[in-house]
Amino acid sequence: MRFMVIVKANQDTEAGKMPTTEMLAAMGRFNEEMAKAGVIEAGEGLHPTVKGARVRYSAPSEASVTRGPFDLSPDLISGFWLIKTASLDEAIAWMKRAPFDPGCEIEIRQVFSAEDFGEAFTPELREQEERTRAHAAKH
C-alpha cells in the first residue's frame, strides 16, 4: 500500500524559517533509514504559500487564480513523503519515529491504486496511465 504523509504547515514554515542543521541531519538519518527498509518513494519540503497559488475551477475551461500568501489554516502543508508499507499501522509506526518538534502535525492518507477504481478504469485507461508514468519517469 502507498501512503502520502502530509506535513502540516505552521507559523515557522509559513514565515520561511529554515530547519537547523541538527534537524536536517536528523531528518536525513530518518529518510535514510526508510530508504534502507524500502519504504520511502519520495519526500520533499515545500516553500511557504507566499510563493504559491491556488486555482479554483468554476466551469470547464474556466479557472481563477489566487496567489499566496494564504492564511495559516489546518489545510496548509509544508512537505510530504510518499511511502510504501504493508498497512496503515506500519505507516503510522514509521511516522511515529519521525524527528519532529513538539506541536508539529502530520496526516497519513492512502494513495489510490488502479484496482481501487474497478471497472471504470478500463484497459485503455490503464494503458494510458502506464504510458504517462513511463514518460514521466524518463524526464
Side-chain angles (χ1 to χ4, degrees), residues 22-96:
E22 293 78 16
M23 176 53 87
L24 290 171
M27 198 59 74
R29 287 189 298 274
F30 178 65
N31 288 340
E32 189 172 47
E33 197 176 335
M34 287 196 298
K36 287 179 181 176
V39 170
I40 190 171
E41 292 187 353
E44 304 292 338
L46 302 175
H47 282 270
T49 61
V50 70
K51 293 184 176 186
R54 288 184 175 158
V55 179
R56 181 177 301 259
Y57 301 92
S58 54
S61 301
E62 291 183 29
S64 60
V65 176
T66 305
R67 294 187 179 271
F70 305 119
D71 291 334
L72 185 60
S73 67
D75 68 330
L76 293 184
I77 66 172
S78 65
F80 70 93
W81 281 285
L82 189 58
I83 62 173
K84 189 173 186 177
T85 61
S87 67
L88 175 58
D89 288 336
E90 184 182 351
I92 292 168
W94 273 103
M95 288 302 119
K96 284 174 77 173

Side-chain angles (χ1 to χ4, degrees), residues 87-126:
S87 67
L88 175 58
D89 288 336
E90 184 182 351
I92 292 168
W94 273 103
M95 288 302 119
K96 284 174 77 173
R97 297 168 47 193
F100 285 114
D101 292 331
C104 290
E105 183 178 27
I106 65 166
E107 181 177 332
I108 303 171
R109 303 271 304 275
Q110 187 173 350
V111 175
F112 279 109
S113 65
E115 295 74 32
D116 294 325
F117 294 104
E119 293 177 13
F121 200 44
T122 65
E124 294 81 16
L125 292 173
R126 287 176 189 256

